[in-house]
Amino acid sequence: MKNCKFCDKNFDQSVSYQIYCSGDCRDLATKEKIAERYLHSKRQKRRGKTRLCKSCSTPLSIYNDDAICSSCAVNPDAVSRAIKEIKGKTNGKK
């Protein structure tokens, strides 16, 4: 018995070098690896290039896949509503 490297289920291997329990797990693991390599290569292409936030012109990290920075991505109205809601729930409580 061996554990599948993708889903962690126990399975009987048909050959000594088998690491996935089924073809489906093998295909899904392969797709994950391809997507990971794509993201890595996409980020490496950004290295050395200056990318700016479309909203505030702040330099973006190579790891930021969006066109705007995290500060601009936060909706200030939603934050203030959440703070008011929290304050309303805690008023009068110690």
Side-chain angles (χ1 to χ4, degrees):
M1 294 296 279
K2 192 172 184 178
N3 286 346
C4 177
K5 280 208 168 192
F6 187 74
C7 70
D8 206 34
K9 273 195 310 190
N10 284 331
F11 70 97
D12 290 324
Q13 52 192 62
S14 53
V15 290
S16 62
Y17 52 86
Q18 184 177 353
I19 58 173
Y20 302 112
C21 63
S22 66
D24 290 338
C25 280
R26 183 185 62 239
D27 293 344
L28 291 171
T30 301
K31 286 178 185 177
E32 260 187 25
K33 288 177 191 174
I34 290 170
E36 188 177 312
R37 285 186 198 132
Y38 171 74
L39 276 179
H40 182 72
S41 67
K42 186 176 176 182
R43 289 176 179 155
Q44 291 304 315
K45 288 177 185 175
R46 293 179 190 156
R47 185 163 275 171
K49 295 181 181 176
T50 304
R51 294 174 49 240
L52 301 175
C53 173
K54 288 189 177 182
S55 181
C56 68
S57 298
T58 302
L60 296 173
S61 165
I62 65 168
Y63 301 105
N64 184 348
D65 294 328
D66 298 323
I68 59 174
C69 66
S70 59
S71 300
C72 295
V74 175
N75 183 346
D77 296 331
V79 171
S80 62
R81 273 188 261 125
I83 290 172
K84 286 178 186 177
E85 184 179 322
I86 291 169
K87 284 181 179 179
K89 289 183 180 180
T90 60
N91 280 347
K93 296 181 182 177
K94 290 186 179 182

